Amino acid sequence: MYNDNPTLKDLNAKTIDESAQGQVFGTEFTPKQPGEKRYYIESYGCQMNFSDSEIVASILGEAGYGPTREMETADLILINTCSIREKAEDTVRKRLRVFDKVKQRHPGTMVGVLGCMAERLKAKFLDEEKLVDIVVGPDAYRDLPGLVAGAEEGEKGVNVFLSREETYADISPVRLQSNGVTAFISIMRGCDNMCSFCVVPYTRGRERSRSAFSIIAEATDLFDKGFREVTLLGQNVDSYKWENPESGAVVNFAELLTMTAGVDPKLRIRFSTSHPKDITDDVLYAMRDNENVCKYIHLPVQSGNTRILDLMNRTYTREWYKEKVDRIYEIMPDCAISSDIITGFCTETEEDHAETLSMVNYARYSMSYMFFYSERPGTPAARKLEDDVPLEVKKRRLTEIIELQTDISRELNAGEVGKTFKVLIEGDSKKSDQDWKGRTTQNRMVVFPKREGEKPGDYVTVKIIDSTSATLFGER
Ligand code: SAH
Ligand code: SF4
Ligand code: F3S
C-alpha cells in the first residue's frame, strides 16, 4: 500500500488512492481514566511501516500508554512516515499542520515523527517543524518511551541510529486494525539493493533477517488466535537468510516458506516483495508443492526497457525478466503476478515507454502499483542522472500504463467467470452486510452472498458469475 498520489484516480482500487488520511489505530470513544496516558498514531507508506506501527503500539503499551482514535484526547500524537516519493512527504507535512492546531488547543501534547522521513531528515525536522518533539528512525523504536519521557521534561529527542541487528524479533505486535483473519509478519528489515531511484536503503539501513523460530512462533500464535492468512514481509523477501546460532544451519526463503506452510494446512501464506533477480526455482517449487502457499507473486518490473533497467540498477534485463515470468507460469500455470512500474525515469524515451507497455501485455499482470518518477535527494539517480522527463510526459505515460493495466485486469477477471474458487472470508463486503468479501489464492477479491453459520476466517467454495477490473462476484 503506497498512499501518496491523490492526483490520479486509481483504476485498480489499490495503486494511489488512499491519500488524505493514513491508517489510524486505536479504540473508539472509551473515556480516559485519570492519570491514563493515550497515544494516537497515523501510518503512511508501505506495509512495513504499518507493521512497524504495530510494534510501536506494543512498545508503548508496555510503557503504560493506551491507544486512542481521537487526537484531541491524546497525550502523544505519532505519525509513521514515508519518503518514497515527494508526494508522500508533502502529505506528512500537511498532517503536521493539523497536529499543530491540536497542540495549540492542548498545550503539552507531544508530537513525534517516526519512520522513513524521520530517518531521512533526522534532527533537521526539529528546526524545520517547530512543533515536533521527538524524531525516531525505524530501528530506534525501543527508545521511544525514553524519548517521550525526555520530551515531557522539555528535552526534544532524536534517535535515528540504524542498526545492523535490530529485527524486533521478541516484540509481539499489537494487532489493533485487524480483521482477525489476515496479518503481516515482518521477516526482515532494510535493503541491500541499490536501485538508483530508491530512498529505502538510506531510510531503513542494511538488510537483516529475523530468526526463523520467532517467525514460526508468531505465525503459530496468530493461527491459534483464529487468523487464517499471514503475509511474510520484507523489501526483498527472496534474499531472506538466517543462520541458526546454535546449529549453524542456514534457512533460506524457500525453506522458510515450507516451514511456515507447515504451521497448519488451514493457514494461508503470502509474501511480498520479490525482487526478480532473487526469486529462485526452489521458491517456485515450495509454492507449487504447498497448497496453502498462495499462487500469487508480486514481482516489480519497474521498466520494460533494458537500458532504463540498467540506469535503475535493477540488475536484470527485459529478456531475463520475461524468462522469469515464463518460468513462473510454467511451474504454476494458475499463478497470478503483479508489478510495480515507474514511468518517466531519467532519459526515458517514447520507445522505452512502449517497451514497458508491451511488458504489461506480456506478463499479464493481475494488477500493478503504478507511479511517475519522483526524484529523491541523495539517491544515486539524483546524484548522477538528470530528471529530464517533463512532468506532463511522466503523467501521460502513467495514464497510458494505468489504462492498459486496467484493461488487462478486466480481461483476466472476465476469464475467471464460470470457474470455482476456494475463498477465505475476510469480512463484510464494502457495499452490503448481506455479502462477504474474501480472496482467491491468486489474491483476487471476491464478493458473494452470505450463508447461515459462516464467519470470517472460514474457507468457502464460490462460483464466479460476474467481474469488473477490480472485483469478482460469486454465487454459491
Ligand atoms: N522493495 C520493493 C519496493 C519498495 S518501494 C521492490 O524492490 O520492489 C515500492 C515501489 O515504489 C517501488 O517498487 C517503485 O516502483 C516505487 N518507487 C520507489 N522509488 C520511487 C521514486 N523515486 N519515484 C517513483 N516511484 C518510486
Ligand atoms: Fe528500493 Fe530496490 Fe530495495 Fe526495493 S529492492 S526497497 S526498490 S532499493
Ligand atoms: Fe515508504 Fe519507507 Fe516503506 S520510504 S515505502 S515507508 S520503507
Side-chain angles (χ1 to χ4, degrees):
M1 195 181 301
Y2 311 102
N3 40 355
D4 63 330
N5 199 341
T7 49
L8 281 138
K9 193 87 192 113
D10 167 27
L11 303 170
N12 219 347
K14 270 191 157 178
T15 326
I16 32 190
D17 197 28
E18 308 104 289
S19 55
Q21 182 93 16
Q23 189 176 335
V24 177
F25 286 136
T27 42
E28 260 161 311
F29 314 124
T30 38
K32 199 154 107 176
Q33 305 303 317
E36 192 193 337
K37 290 199 168 172
R38 292 248 173 120
Y39 68 91
Y40 167 96
I41 185 166
E42 268 179 27
S43 306
Y44 294 84
C46 64
Q47 289 303 347
M48 300 291 297
N49 247 17
F50 291 76
S51 174
D52 280 2
S53 290
E54 299 186 330
I55 288 168
V56 167
S58 175
I59 292 171
L60 287 174
E62 290 288 313
Y65 275 79
T68 176
R69 268 176 178 274
E70 301 140 37
M71 54 177 121
E72 299 284 339
T73 66
D75 304 278
L76 174 63
I77 297 179
L78 297 173
I79 181 160
N80 198 352
T81 61
C82 174
S83 284
I84 201 82
R85 286 166 289 273
E86 199 176 352
K87 201 93 210 169
E89 294 200 347
D90 293 345
T91 309
V92 169
R93 291 192 192 280
K94 270 189 218 132
R95 293 305 291 163
L96 288 174
R97 301 280 86 76
V98 174
F99 301 160
D100 202 9
K101 297 219 174 75
V102 177
K103 203 168 165 158
Q104 281 165 21
R105 284 196 290 276
H106 308 282
T109 309
M110 301 284 138
V111 173
V113 181
L114 315 178
C116 291
M117 200 176 164
E119 190 63 50
R120 197 176 81 72
L121 292 168
K122 304 188 169 59
K124 262 197 273 175
F125 240 121
L126 299 179
D127 304 330
E128 284 176 26
E129 304 281 348
K130 295 291 175 220
L131 81 153
V132 173
D133 300 289
I134 51 176
V135 180
V136 193
D139 286 345
Y141 295 143
R142 288 180 201 268
D143 200 18
L144 197 54
L147 290 166
V148 174
E152 281 167 355
E153 303 297 313
E155 191 63 31
K156 293 204 171 200
V158 181
N159 188 343
V160 288
F161 175 73
L162 282 175
S163 162
R164 277 173 175 259
E165 285 96 35
E166 180 64 272
T167 59
Y168 300 109
D170 56 314
I171 294 181
S172 177
V174 176
R175 317 270 173 191
L176 287 164
Q177 261 284 317
S178 164
N179 58 11
V181 178
T182 60
F184 293 95
I185 302 182
S186 268
I187 64 162
M188 55 207 297
R189 301 182 69 83
C191 183
D192 279 355
N193 293 317
M194 275 288 170
C195 303
S196 62
F197 51 79
C198 185
V199 78
V200 172
Y202 307 91
T203 63
R204 296 240 156 205
R206 298 303 298 268
E207 182 182 290
R208 66 222 98 122
S209 296
R210 176 180 164 188
S211 141
F213 292 141
S214 76
I215 295 167
I216 300 303
E218 191 171 333
T220 308
D221 179 55
L222 284 164
F223 184 79
D224 292 343
K225 289 185 172 134
F227 286 82
R228 290 295 174 265
E229 183 183 294
V230 295
T231 303
L232 307 179
L233 278 185
Q235 295 299 351
N236 186 12
V237 288
D238 299 276
S239 67
Y240 176 87
K241 199 170 161 216
W242 178 74
E243 190 182 322
N244 184 336
E246 270 141 47
S247 66
V250 173
V251 180
N252 67 21
F253 185 61
E255 289 157 348
L256 181 72
L257 262 186
T258 305
M259 285 164 71
T260 323
V263 167
D264 195 289
K266 287 207 292 294
L267 183 69
R268 273 187 173 178
I269 321 298
R270 299 186 185 277
F271 55 90
S272 187
T273 297
S274 288
H275 194 298
K277 79 172 160 53
D278 292 316
I279 188 164
T280 59
D281 278 1
D282 282 347
V283 169
L284 302 180
Y285 295 139
M287 292 177 72
R288 180 195 62 189
D289 297 343
N290 290 284
E291 193 269 339
N292 57 334
V293 178
C294 291
K295 304 299 175 279
Y296 169 66
I297 302 176
H298 186 55
L299 193 75
V301 69
Q302 312 297 359
S303 165
N305 171 263
T306 297
R307 187 185 62 85
I308 294 291
L309 286 169
D310 186 41
L311 287 178
M312 287 176 163
N313 197 27
R314 287 291 287 185
T315 71
Y316 52 84
T317 62
R318 174 182 174 84
E319 290 315 315
W320 196 93
Y321 184 92
K322 283 168 79 174
E323 277 168 28
K324 201 45 98 177
V325 168
D326 294 345
R327 190 79 184 127
I328 293 168
Y329 288 143
E330 185 186 320
I331 294 175
M332 291 171 288
D334 62 339
C335 192
I337 305 176
S338 62
S339 193
D340 291 350
I341 295 167
I342 298 176
T343 65
F345 188 65
C346 312
T347 77
E348 187 188 71
T349 63
E350 288 305 324
E351 292 73 36
D352 301 337
H353 166 61
E355 283 205 292
T356 303
L357 286 164
S358 85
M359 184 63 92
V360 175
N361 259 320
Y362 185 85
R364 316 286 300 156
Y365 297 125
S366 58
M367 63 114 190
S368 295
Y369 299 98
M370 298 156 281
F371 317 97
F372 61 80
Y373 174 58
S374 164
E375 186 179 80
R376 308 311 295 130
T379 55
R383 280 184 275 124
K384 290 183 214 132
L385 302 168
E386 194 189 336
D387 181 12
D388 57 357
V389 178
L391 186 60
E392 322 80 75
V393 177
K394 288 178 178 173
K395 285 187 175 171
R396 194 250 307 144
R397 289 180 189 165
L398 177 59
T399 307
E400 287 173 16
I401 301 268
I402 292 175
E403 282 170 357
L404 175 62
Q405 178 61 66
T406 308
D407 286 347
I408 290 176
S409 299
R410 189 182 299 114
E411 256 172 57
L412 290 174
N413 280 354
E416 305 296 68
V417 173
K419 294 187 196 164
T420 301
F421 291 97
K422 181 172 162 186
V423 174
L424 173 61
I425 302 176
E426 287 181 17
D428 287 354
S429 91
K430 240 189 232 163
K431 289 193 184 131
S432 157
D433 61 6
Q434 303 299 303
D435 290 334
W436 292 123
K437 67 169 182 195
R439 282 171 203 276
T440 67
T441 182
Q442 290 87 2
N443 208 33
R444 294 198 164 93
M445 181 66 80
V446 188
V447 171
F448 54 98
K450 290 183 178 177
R451 271 191 193 163
E452 198 75 28
E454 290 172 344
K455 58 181 188 316
D458 288 351
Y459 289 99
V460 291
T461 305
V462 180
K463 185 174 178 192
I464 307 306
I465 51 168
D466 198 4
S467 69
T468 65
S469 65
T471 314
L472 302 175
F473 298 93
E475 68 175 17
R476 317 301 296 272

